[in-house]
Amino acid sequence: MIRGERPYGGRGGRAAAVLAAVAATAALAAGCGIRSTTVPVDAGPAPSRVPCRTTDADAPADAGTPTVRIYLVCASQLVTVDRAVEAGEPGTGRVDVARSLLTQLQQSPSADERHAGLATLVPAGLRVGEARSGDPRRSLRLSEQPEDLSAEALAQLVCTYAESEAVGSGHSVLLGGPGDYAPRDYLCTSATKRRPTEVPTLRATP
């Protein structure tokens, strides 16, 4: 061994080897176009694997079978589902139609709907009835205050009612509860369908 030379396995040799490995790793990352970072990166939620579409969604409907359209929840959004109903249902009155739609919203999804990832959050005990004297025209009264429902359940109800020709205006519906509060005009928009946790309202109706 030459005098003054450190043994290969000494402290200096190990440090040099570590530095060389770090440099090689950095060069490899740079060559692959990868930048090192110490800041956590939020890549957003993982993509949903549920189809949110039933297998018979594209099947031609039987012309003799009446159907109603409702909104269910799937992958944190609202999706439409056409449900077959018995002949003569729903009735011709607004409240009859509203009750029929509510019944459909309260039903447990079919096996096909569950497989597609569809669910409903509308409570089974909820009821809907006629407006009171002094309520605005086309109002409906629920057995619970609308704001006491979960946001998703209210979004399902609002969009289902709003887009029913017999019940809503095409984009909104007037809903009140059992209390003395005046009905409010709830709006169903594309944003409501994308994020049913946030149901917008137009205004408090005097």
Side-chain angles (χ1 to χ4, degrees), residues 10-187:
R11 183 178 301 171
R14 288 196 300 271
V18 170
L19 290 175
V22 171
T25 302
L28 180 60
C32 295
I34 302 173
R35 293 186 178 182
S36 60
T37 176
T38 57
V39 180
V41 177
D42 182 6
S48 172
R49 294 183 180 274
V50 294
C52 292
R53 190 175 182 84
T54 58
T55 56
D56 59 353
D58 297 322
D62 186 347
T65 303
T67 61
V68 294
R69 176 162 292 186
I70 63 172
Y71 277 90
L72 298 181
V73 179
C74 183
S76 301
Q77 60 185 335
L78 295 185
V79 295
T80 57
V81 172
D82 290 332
R83 290 263 183 90
V85 295
E86 295 182 4
E89 292 290 338
T92 57
R94 289 186 64 251
V95 176
D96 292 332
V97 175
R99 286 171 176 163
S100 179
L101 291 172
L102 177 58
T103 297
Q104 291 295 326
L105 287 169
Q106 292 168 326
Q107 285 184 4
S108 298
S110 66
D112 191 24
E113 290 169 345
R114 291 195 302 272
H115 181 73
L118 304 177
T120 184
L121 298 173
V122 177
L126 186 65
R127 299 291 180 266
V128 61
E130 297 179 352
R132 296 177 183 170
S133 176
D135 283 348
R137 180 176 172 271
R138 297 182 69 83
S139 297
L140 294 169
R141 287 277 180 172
L142 302 176
S143 58
E144 296 183 34
Q145 286 298 129
E147 58 270 21
D148 290 341
L149 299 173
S150 71
E152 293 89 346
L154 182 56
Q156 285 183 253
L157 201 62
V158 166
C159 287
T160 298
Y161 281 170
E163 296 185 2
S164 167
E165 293 182 2
V167 178
S169 67
H171 59 274
S172 68
V173 61
L174 284 159
L175 294 177
D180 295 330
Y181 303 103
R184 303 183 71 183
D185 203 0
Y186 287 89
L187 180 67

